[in-house]
Amino acid sequence: MARTALVVGASGIVGSATATLLARQGWTVHGLARRPAAQAGILPVAADLQDRDGTAAALRGLDPDAVFVTTWARQDSEAENIRVNAAMVRNLLDGLPSPTRPRHVALVTGLKHYLGPFEAYGQGVLPQTPFREEQGRLDVENFYYAQEDELFAAAARDGFTWSVHRPHTVIGLAVGNAMNMGTTLAVYATLCRETGRPFTFPGSAAQWSGLTDMTDAGQLAQHLLWATETEAAHDQAFNVVNGDVFRWQWMWGRIADWFGIEAAPFDGVVRPLEQQMADDAGLWREIAMRESLAEPELGRLASPWHTDADLGRPIEVVTDMSKSRRLGFTGYRPTDDAFFALFDRLRAERLIP
């Protein structure tokens, strides 16, 4: 019997990778977005999750076996993040017709579960690294917790199973995404090569020298599918990373080599990309016109603020995946390979020269 999925946020980094994987596995995939992009093998569903009635109308007649929630909307304060993003999950799950057969709902959140929201990021008493799922919630308001609570309440009401997935920084391809380190670094390296500016690590000494990890979008998609299909993984929360650890002092040189430039020596000074790239929109437009690139708007490719938040952290961030391993998930993706595969795609799709 053919399985049907609803991927919420199908045009984003995680959603597009998940929709592509499911379609390749033979699922019938409905991809929900405010403005769905054309995606091979994906049936578009146009809906704004902040519109309760419009969402219900868009979902009328759908009875998916699995729902993958991979989207959120950034607001100006954590209180607004909580109000808006909790409502989006609630409107989605209230708007879906009641399941007529077993249904699984997978929610993607992230390591701010352990690190705190943007307004209190990395502050206060944090759990010991590596982060483990049983460490629980911080004593602080967090929109991830609000999203989870909506999920749990709907599951209790409607009888579906659920899983929560907490990736570290995600590497993947999506134009117009607000949290996109891989493409941001590719654009930054391209600008450095174009101008001869030093390829300078923008972050903290703790991130330069300490151990860290990341999550490839394809690895996360595989994890979402695994949890959906594995009964022992139902009604559980999981961390999900690539499986390797690295130091940025090594990775920075690897990225520089790929672009044919030299990595500048790190002198311990934080030089945020938001400042380094503040005046580069016009230059990027010139490069895009000269090289016939597909996206001339720098702001639709790069998200310096988010990359700065990750690379500027004053603390080590390493994630434990023992819970998934014990239950049988064996996926692994070297992080440098994930970066290089993304850079190859960006070049093939004419997003970087």
Side-chain angles (χ1 to χ4, degrees), residues 5 30 33 49 100 108 142 144 159 192 206 225 238 240 251 263 306 312 314 328:
H30 299 267
L49 294 181
T100 61
V108 177
N142 189 322
Y144 283 168
C192 288
L225 180 57
F238 297 100
V240 50
M251 186 67 77
H306 183 260

Side-chain angles (χ1 to χ4, degrees), residues 327-344:
L327 293 177
F329 181 76
T330 59
Y332 172 78
R333 178 73 160 155
T335 300
D336 52 342
D337 286 357
F339 272 123
F340 300 157
L342 171 63
F343 300 157
D344 284 334

Side-chain angles (χ1 to χ4, degrees), residues 185-221:
L185 293 181
V187 169
Y188 175 57
T190 301
L191 289 165
C192 288
R193 186 178 61 197
E194 173 79 12
T195 62
R197 287 168 10 199
F199 185 58
T200 303
F201 183 72
S204 67
Q207 292 304 303
W208 179 254
S209 302
L211 290 173
T212 192
D213 48 30
M214 293 183 72
T215 308
D216 179 68
Q219 170 87 336
L220 177 50

Side-chain angles (χ1 to χ4, degrees), residues 80 179 197 210 216 257 275 314 339:
E80 279 299 288
M179 301 168 67
R197 287 168 10 199
D216 179 68
D257 288 345
Q275 296 176 13
F339 272 123

Side-chain angles (χ1 to χ4, degrees), residues 33-336:
R34 281 181 298 172
R35 293 177 294 275
Q39 295 171 273
I42 312 302
L43 303 172
V45 178
D48 180 352
L49 294 181
Q50 297 184 49
D51 178 353
R52 179 181 179 86
D53 293 338
T55 296
L59 297 176
R60 190 172 295 123
L62 287 182
D63 187 13
D65 299 281
V67 180
F68 302 91
V69 186
T70 72
T71 191
W72 71 289
R74 187 187 182 199
Q75 306 299 310
D76 291 335
S77 69
E78 191 59 22
E80 279 299 288
N81 276 332
I82 290 168
R83 183 186 68 80
V84 170
N85 288 284
M88 288 168 62
V89 174
R90 182 169 61 252
N91 292 343
L92 168 72
L93 298 177
D94 287 354
L96 276 169
S98 298
T100 61
R101 55 186 184 275
R103 176 181 295 168
H104 185 81
V105 179
L107 170 68
V108 177
T109 61
L111 294 195
K112 285 189 288 298
H113 182 94
Y114 308 106
L115 289 163
F118 291 116
E119 291 180 2
Y121 192 65
Q123 300 175 17
V125 179
L126 300 176
Q128 186 181 50
T129 56
F131 296 137
R132 294 180 171 87
E133 295 89 347
E134 65 268 20
Q135 289 167 320
R137 295 180 175 184
L138 301 175
D139 186 20
V140 62
E141 294 297 311
N142 189 322
F143 82 87
Y144 283 168
Y145 306 160
Q147 287 181 309
E148 287 182 344
D149 289 342
E150 295 293 344
L151 174 68
F152 302 155
R157 178 193 67 207
D158 294 337
F160 58 75
T161 60
W162 56 266
S163 56
V164 174
H165 303 255
R166 300 169 185 157
H168 198 167
T169 305
V170 178
I171 301 170
L173 177 60
V175 175
N177 189 274
M179 301 168 67
N180 195 340
M181 180 190 285
T183 305
T184 299
L185 293 181
V187 169
Y188 175 57
T190 301
L191 289 165
C192 288
R193 186 178 61 197
E194 173 79 12
T195 62
R197 287 168 10 199
F199 185 58
T200 303
F201 183 72
S204 67
Q207 292 304 303
W208 179 254
S209 302
L211 290 173
T212 192
D213 48 30
M214 293 183 72
T215 308
D216 179 68
Q219 170 87 336
L220 177 50
Q222 291 281 359
H223 195 260
L224 289 164
L225 180 57
W226 165 79
T228 298
E229 296 181 330
T230 303
E231 186 174 352
H234 290 172
D235 302 335
Q236 301 278 343
F238 297 100
N239 298 327
V240 50
V241 287
N242 288 334
D244 64 342
V245 294
F246 64 91
R247 302 180 200 276
W248 275 105
Q249 61 187 351
W250 174 80
M251 186 67 77
W252 200 249
R254 296 281 286 160
I255 293 173
D257 288 345
W258 195 94
F259 284 94
I261 57 179
E262 291 188 14
F266 179 64
D267 61 5
V269 177
V270 177
R271 294 181 173 85
L273 288 181
E274 199 161 25
Q275 296 176 13
Q276 292 193 54
M277 301 173 69
D279 300 321
D280 285 335
L283 175 58
W284 184 260
R285 195 172 293 110
E286 292 176 12
I287 295 171
M289 292 180 62
R290 186 188 72 215
E291 303 290 340
S292 300
L293 300 183
E295 181 52 68
E297 297 301 320
L298 181 65
R300 285 183 50 76
L301 292 175
S303 51
W305 70 272
H306 183 260
T307 299
D308 287 339
D310 276 359
L311 297 184
R313 290 179 298 212
I315 54 174
E316 175 187 79
V317 179
V318 183
T319 315
D320 181 76
M321 273 194 70
S322 297
K323 185 176 182 180
S324 294
R325 302 303 188 203
R326 288 190 179 104
L327 293 177
F329 181 76
T330 59
Y332 172 78
R333 178 73 160 155
T335 300
D336 52 342

